[in-house]
Amino acid sequence: MRETTVIRLKEDIRLKNPTLLVGLPGVGHVGKLVVDHLIEKLDAEKVFEIYSPHFPPQVMVNEESTVKLVNNEIYICKANGNDIVLLAGDHQSTSTEGHYELGAIYIDIAEELGVKRIFTLGGFPTGQLTHTDEIMGAANDLEMVTELKEYEVTFKPNEPGGGIVGASGLLLGLSKFKNIRAACLMGLTSGYLVDPKSAQALLALLSKILSIEVDVSELEERAKDMEKIVANLMEAKQQEQQQPPEMLRDTATDEDLRYIG
């Protein structure tokens, strides 16, 4: 099988104690929304493209009807004097082997760029359509747990119960071998829908941690649109609960909501 291909777009990259933010597709697309927003608003420069047979066999079609092979990308930018590295992309690996191969590549690049701290960003599924700004955390270093508690990140023993699957969790484990401190920050989300409101809460936390200011108006607008959708879903669910039992046979159940969006 052909191996993963890393294309370097810039040779001389000099950063000072950069922080890596990882936002790949996942639950509620929370992390992806945050990192994609930062790339746009901070005018980040793309420095690596990563293509892999572990991604789905797929191309993305753009507005001009031309195509792009799915890939992941690494960007760099500076905000308020801080160097930031951003890992974004179209997909995570479709295989366990691919997750480890790609994870090792991401960590090697982070080490090369001098990354001292990693935040992987994702969503923590609650199964509830109601929203809270709470951010859950897990880390590979007790000092990071203490530090993040000062920002009111919630840490619960043995949570998430099933562990953290995919790049958001794996990079915490792999980075420890390179003595890179890492934490996963998870915005609470229903798990049913793409969730810009949870992304907005996570971005607000990151802005405090990194001492940066980012225009969030676009995320706010998307969050308002999502609130309308959630309100309609909750209204439909309430109406369903008020129906006689014999009328419920052909209506959607809570489990069906998992396939929305």
Side-chain angles (χ1 to χ4, degrees), residues 41 58-59 69 114 120-121 163 197 216 230 250:
K41 296 302 178 183
Q58 181 183 357
V59 295
L69 186 65
T120 65
L121 312 175
K197 196 167 184 66
V216 297
V230 170
D250 297 324

Side-chain angles (χ1 to χ4, degrees), residues 47-66:
V47 292
F48 289 96
E49 292 181 348
I50 300 164
Y51 298 88
S52 176
H54 299 294
F55 295 146
Q58 181 183 357
V59 295
M60 307 299 287
V61 182
N62 62 28
E63 293 178 356
E64 290 79 27
S65 296
T66 56

Side-chain angles (χ1 to χ4, degrees), residues 167-184:
S168 287
L170 188 60
L171 292 181
L172 268 62
L174 294 176
S175 61
K176 195 162 187 176
F177 293 119
K178 301 289 187 177
N179 295 316
I180 301 175
R181 300 168 67 217
C184 180

Side-chain angles (χ1 to χ4, degrees), residues 71-102:
N71 72 330
N72 287 346
E73 300 169 340
I74 292 178
Y75 294 76
I76 58 173
C77 65
K78 189 179 291 289
N80 195 26
N82 297 310
D83 285 323
I84 301 173
V85 181
L86 301 136
L87 170 58
D90 299 315
H91 288 283
Q92 295 202 38
S93 171
T94 58
S95 69
T96 299
E97 177 187 10
H99 273 296
Y100 276 89
E101 179 183 322
L102 288 163

Side-chain angles (χ1 to χ4, degrees), residues 87-148:
L87 170 58
D90 299 315
H91 288 283
Q92 295 202 38
S93 171
T94 58
S95 69
T96 299
E97 177 187 10
H99 273 296
Y100 276 89
E101 179 183 322
L102 288 163
I105 289 171
Y106 302 147
I107 294 298
D108 285 346
I109 293 174
E111 186 179 36
E112 176 193 333
L113 296 178
V115 167
K116 302 299 183 184
R117 182 173 60 168
I118 297 173
F119 291 112
T120 65
L121 312 175
F124 186 100
T126 64
Q128 303 295 321
L129 290 173
T130 52
H131 173 76
T132 173
D133 284 344
E134 183 180 7
I135 305 295
M136 291 280 292
N140 69 359
D141 178 273
L142 281 175
E143 288 184 9
M144 286 203 80
V145 173
T146 301
E147 174 188 333
L148 291 171

